[in-house]
């Protein structure tokens, strides 16, 4: 079965950086687009970023564009999120999520999710 | 960005009740609307995709309808395991957005 396991969260100071990872298993990772979605404490869901199955294209929410970079290593079935210039507003649980579409057929909805990793930005 | 507005933001219901949650888009999104269930401390779970398609493995008491700007999620007979927060999400735009959520609580 599909398994997504995030790691790399923790406490970071404002202006700092952090890199999240998401280890994927149970499906053909190299054929599916992947997303990051976050949830601030007690708040709703916010889509953060997307990367195509082959890494050829990525897109970002306006709130993170220019600060966050999504990438993937298909040889190691791992998704990444590099986060720079973090602020308190970035404090959230970050989920990686699998796109439901196969290959070129992007779906842009999420049929599997990881358990999330907490990022806390605080001095 | 396309804004998604859910109503109500919370509701109280009893086991066996029929429950309807509404999601409205700020512009037409055709049928690019999806529903998720989230329980406290857990990841969201896909229930309905493309407005009315039941995700594999999801109970048939969940159904979705609508197109354009107005959508509904219906739980035909609320069960104890259905008490959770429900989110809609649009994919008409590449800038994906969620509704604010509807918390379904026990009456």
């Amino acid at each position: 079965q599909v398994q997504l396991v995030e790691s790399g969260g923790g406490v970071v100071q404002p202006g700092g950086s952090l890199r999240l990872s998401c280890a994927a298993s149970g499906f053909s990772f190299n054929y599916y687009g992947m997303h990051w979605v976050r949830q601030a404490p007690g708040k709703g869901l916010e889509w953060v970023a997307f990367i195509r199955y082959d890494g050829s294209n990525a897109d970002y929410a306006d709130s993170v564009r220019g600060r966050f970079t999504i990438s993937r290593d298909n040889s190691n079935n791992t998704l990444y999120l590099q986060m720079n210039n973090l602020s308190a507003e970035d404090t959230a649980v970050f989920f990686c999520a699998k796109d439901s579409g196969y290959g070129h057929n992007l779906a842009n909805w999420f049929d599997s999710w990881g358990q999330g990793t907490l990022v806390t930005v605080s001095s | 960005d396309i804004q998604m507005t859910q109503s109500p933001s919370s509701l109280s219901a009893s086991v066996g009740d029929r429950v309807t949650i509404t999601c409205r888009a700020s512009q037409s999104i055709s049928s690019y609307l999806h529903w998720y269930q989230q329980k406290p401390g857990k990841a969201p779970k896909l229930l309905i995709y493309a407005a009315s398609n039941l995700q594999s493995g999801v109970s048939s008491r969940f159904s979705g309808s609508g197109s354009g700007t107005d959508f509904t999620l219906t739980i035909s007979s609320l069960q104890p395991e259905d008490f959770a927060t429900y989110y809609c999400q649009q994919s008409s735009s590449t800038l994906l957005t969620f509704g604010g959520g509807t918390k379904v609580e026990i009456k």
Side-chain angles (χ1 to χ4, degrees):
Chain A
Q1 73 280 19
V2 174
Q3 190 168 14
L4 300 169
V5 179
E6 301 94 336
S7 61
V11 180
V12 60
Q13 292 189 338
S17 299
L18 210 56
R19 188 176 85 153
L20 305 182
S21 300
C22 171
S25 61
F27 67 104
S28 298
F29 180 74
N30 58 324
Y31 284 118
Y32 289 90
M34 295 294 295
H35 303 260
W36 287 99
V37 177
R38 68 182 178 182
Q39 186 170 37
K43 302 297 185 182
L45 300 168
E46 179 188 19
W47 172 78
V48 172
F50 161 76
I51 188 167
R52 289 186 73 90
Y53 70 100
D54 59 0
S56 61
N57 191 39
D59 205 356
Y60 301 90
D62 291 343
S63 57
V64 308
R65 187 176 288 114
R67 300 187 299 123
F68 289 13
T69 302
I70 188 172
S71 62
R72 63 191 297 159
D73 180 350
N74 283 350
S75 63
N76 287 305
N77 292 346
T78 304
L79 176 73
Y80 301 101
L81 186 68
Q82 176 67 43
M83 304 186 294
N84 298 330
N85 193 22
L86 287 161
S87 69
E89 288 69 39
D90 296 313
T91 294
V93 173
F94 283 74
F95 298 98
C96 65
K98 172 181 165 290
D99 193 273
S100 190
Y102 181 86
H104 294 287
N105 298 317
L106 183 62
N108 269 340
W109 65 84
F110 321 110
D111 62 9
S112 299
W113 299 65
Q115 85 289 349
T117 187
L118 176 62
V119 172
T120 301
V121 184
S122 173
S123 55
Chain B
D1 294 8
I2 298 175
Q3 309 301 318
M4 306 301 295
T5 303
Q6 285 184 237
S7 60
S9 57
S10 67
L11 65 89
S12 295
S14 300
V15 173
D17 285 353
R18 182 181 182 89
V19 169
T20 298
I21 298 168
T22 296
C23 179
R24 175 165 288 175
S26 59
Q27 64 188 71
S28 177
I29 59 170
S30 185
S31 295
Y32 295 106
L33 190 283
H34 324 292
W35 291 98
Y36 302 87
Q37 175 195 67
Q38 187 180 32
K39 297 181 180 179
K42 301 295 187 182
K45 172 187 174 182
L46 177 66
L47 299 176
I48 301 285
Y49 63 92
S52 61
N53 296 278
L54 190 68
Q55 172 69 356
S56 176
V58 173
S59 171
S60 58
R61 64 180 179 271
F62 292 94
S63 63
S65 64
S67 66
T69 60
D70 294 317
F71 301 86
T72 59
L73 173 71
T74 299
I75 310 173
S76 60
S77 177
L78 197 65
Q79 297 302 301
E81 60 267 31
D82 301 336
F83 292 96
T85 300
Y86 294 84
Y87 293 93
C88 62
Q89 175 241 325
Q90 67 79 23
S91 60
S92 175
S93 162
T94 54
L95 298 183
L96 310 178
T97 49
F98 290 89
T102 296
K103 187 173 183 179
V104 176
E105 298 175 301
I106 302 172
K107 181 182 283 185

